[in-house]
């Protein structure tokens, strides 16, 4: 396992991080399975575990808490808030009211007195940067969080938050967690240059592109991955963007075979090769998934392999632009772009 410094914090984290989104009802992972995955990840040298309150409505945090009991100080623990936790209109977002309440809920579910990294799961257009940063700074000073970060923020919002922290003399985001894979390279255009400019650590999610780069999806095979079961529109190869992804996967499989790598090694080696990236978050549902992904822990891609990838999916290109999670609200809601 390799380790890198998390932004400018001085904290050393593994280049592969364990994501716990599949713990609980989302991935149908039991407590025993989750504990075994955590055991295997820690034994392999992973020291960063990332979860969120919204993952199975708190169940993931509860399972992580049970799995790490007795060894909390041996790892860097990260969670998130923002997404709805109930139908109540104020049980979501990044207001001071909700963050203070929900962090206490997360700490209770995790069975800890603090988290190392507390992340705002998405940018909240309804809440000012000053409101959110002020609340996070107070939680940090209270000792309930060590650092805080953003997740899937547009580049201009990352910049705005940095300036707001400076203007109001508040602590700042020290990390960003964007989606990034060979098939979705859009963040190379704006987000990663900004994180490098401000010295943010970068924890990338979906490096296997929701299973497209796992080796399980190939031309002529029925797509039977768990993601395809509840997100069928992202795997329907009659849709042009999905057809483009499948065409790219076939070409990437040839590159991986020529280099003597699995598709997983190619995919994880690609995202961790970018100098702005600190860690790639893996999200195994089973021990077999974990072992196949841990095999990429020491993968270093040659310049020739990286050039071959660039020739298949150009730098800065998202093959499925409508799958981006940081699209400005005005592009999604016509009312926001009409006078």
């Amino acid at each position: 396992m390799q380790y890198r410094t998390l932004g400018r914090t001085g904290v050393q984290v593994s280049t592969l991080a364990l994501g716990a989104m599949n713990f609980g009802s989302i991935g149908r992972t039991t407590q025993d399975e989750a504990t075994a995955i955590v055991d295997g990840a820690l034994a392999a040298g992973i020291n960063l575990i990332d979860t969120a309150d919204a993952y199975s409505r708190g169940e993931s945090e509860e399972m992580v808490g049970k799995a790490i009991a007795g060894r909390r100080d041996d790892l860097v623990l990260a969670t998130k808030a923002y997404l709805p936790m109930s139908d109540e209109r104020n049980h979501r977002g990044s207001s001071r009211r909700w963050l203070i309440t929900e962090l206490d809920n997360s700490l209770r579910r995790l069975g800890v007195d603090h988290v190392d990294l507390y992340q705002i799961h998405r940018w909240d257009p309804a809440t000012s940067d000053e409101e959110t940063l002020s609340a996070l700074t107070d939680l940090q000073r209270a000792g309930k969080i060590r650092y805080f970060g953003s997740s899937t923020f547009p580049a201009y919002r990352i910049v705005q938050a940095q300036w707001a922290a400076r203007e109001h003399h508040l602590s700042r985001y020290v990390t960003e967690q964007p989606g990034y894979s060979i098939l979705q390279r859009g963040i190379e255009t704006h987000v990663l240059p900004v994180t490098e400019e401000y010295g943010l650590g970068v924890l990338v999610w979906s490096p296997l592109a929701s299973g497209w780069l796992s080796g399980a999806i190939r031309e002529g095979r029925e797509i039977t991955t768990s993601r395809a079961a509840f997100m069928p529109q992202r795997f329907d190869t009659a849709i042009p963007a999905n057809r483009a992804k499948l065409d790219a996967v076939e070409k990437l499989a040839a590159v991986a075979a020529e280099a003597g790598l699995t598709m997983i090694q190619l995919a994880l080696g690609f995202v961790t090769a970018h100098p702005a990236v600190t860690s790639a978050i893996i999200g195994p549902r089973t021990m077999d998934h974990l072992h196949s992904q841990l095999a990429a822990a020491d993968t270093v891609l040659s310049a020739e392999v990286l050039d071959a990838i660039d020739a298949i999916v150009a730098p800065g290109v998202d093959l499925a632009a409508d799958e981006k999670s940081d699209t400005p609200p005005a592009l999604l809601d016509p009312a926001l772009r009409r006078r």
Side-chain angles (χ1 to χ4, degrees):
M1 187 64 64
Q2 303 171 56
Y3 298 87
R4 295 174 181 168
T5 304
L6 185 62
R8 295 174 178 166
T9 67
V11 176
Q12 298 292 300
V13 295
S14 48
T15 52
L16 295 183
L18 179 63
M21 189 179 78
N22 281 318
F23 291 3
S25 60
I26 291 178
R28 302 185 303 281
T29 305
T30 67
Q31 181 63 60
D32 286 345
E33 290 169 330
T35 299
I37 289 170
V38 169
D39 289 345
L42 296 183
I46 287 177
N47 72 341
L48 171 58
I49 298 180
D50 178 78
T51 185
D53 59 350
Y55 296 163
S56 299
R57 290 286 178 94
E59 189 178 7
S60 172
E61 288 183 323
E62 292 175 353
M63 294 173 78
V64 167
K66 292 175 182 176
I68 66 172
R71 49 188 174 179
R72 187 265 174 271
D73 291 339
D74 298 334
L75 54 90
V76 178
L77 182 60
T79 192
K80 313 179 197 73
Y82 165 76
L83 297 178
M85 288 298 286
S86 77
D87 293 333
E88 213 293 315
R89 67 182 65 237
N90 286 312
H91 288 184
R92 67 194 71 192
S94 59
S95 69
R96 169 179 288 273
R97 181 180 188 273
W98 178 238
L99 291 179
I100 290 174
T101 298
E102 186 58 0
L103 175 60
D104 282 341
N105 291 336
S106 288
L107 295 177
R108 173 180 48 78
R109 288 188 291 259
L110 289 162
V112 299
D113 62 3
H114 73 280
V115 294
D116 297 295
L117 180 63
Y118 198 47
Q119 300 155 104
I120 304 301
H121 213 148
R122 295 291 187 270
W123 170 54
D124 182 1
T127 307
S128 71
D129 289 311
E130 181 185 5
E131 163 92 359
T132 300
L133 292 169
S134 175
L136 292 170
T137 299
D138 286 347
L139 291 170
Q140 184 182 52
R141 290 170 178 167
K144 293 185 176 182
I145 59 179
R146 298 295 185 252
Y147 306 101
F148 51 85
S150 56
S151 176
T152 322
F153 275 33
Y156 76 99
R157 296 309 315 177
I158 298 173
V159 173
Q160 180 61 34
Q162 294 291 314
W163 277 94
R166 180 181 300 178
E167 178 183 2
H168 300 290
H169 306 288
L170 300 168
S171 295
R172 68 187 188 99
Y173 294 125
V174 299
T175 59
E176 161 61 14
Q177 187 178 133
Y180 184 42
S181 73
I182 295 175
L183 304 183
Q184 295 288 98
R185 301 183 61 174
I187 67 166
E188 295 172 346
T189 303
H190 300 295
V191 171
L192 293 184
V194 165
T195 61
E196 287 184 293
E197 174 71 20
Y198 287 98
L200 273 64
V202 175
L203 312 172
V204 300
W205 55 266
S206 200
L208 300 183
S210 297
W212 280 94
L213 299 173
S214 68
I217 298 176
R218 296 293 301 275
E219 183 72 67
R221 295 183 191 171
E222 182 182 0
I223 300 177
T224 59
T225 62
S226 61
R227 289 293 181 90
F230 68 91
M231 303 170 69
Q233 74 282 1
R234 295 199 176 187
F235 296 87
D236 181 356
T237 54
I239 296 173
N242 293 334
R243 183 70 243 178
K245 287 192 286 187
L246 185 58
D247 290 343
V249 164
E250 288 300 305
K251 295 174 183 176
L252 291 167
V255 171
E258 177 68 21
L261 301 168
T262 66
M263 283 288 285
I264 290 174
Q265 288 174 313
L266 186 77
L268 295 178
F270 168 79
V271 297
T272 56
H274 197 293
V277 172
T278 310
S279 302
I281 299 173
I282 60 174
R285 287 192 306 110
T286 67
M287 288 299 294
D288 286 343
H289 290 168
L290 176 66
H291 293 315
S292 66
Q293 292 165 30
L294 287 175
D298 59 356
T299 298
V300 178
L301 302 186
S302 67
E304 291 76 18
V305 169
L306 291 169
D307 288 343
I309 291 172
D310 287 349
I312 295 168
V313 182
V317 170
D318 288 315
L319 292 187
D322 62 338
E323 294 180 11
K324 289 171 60 62
S325 299
D326 62 353
T327 303
L331 297 185
L332 302 174
D333 182 356
L336 297 178
R337 58 178 186 266
R338 302 282 192 267
R339 289 187 181 275

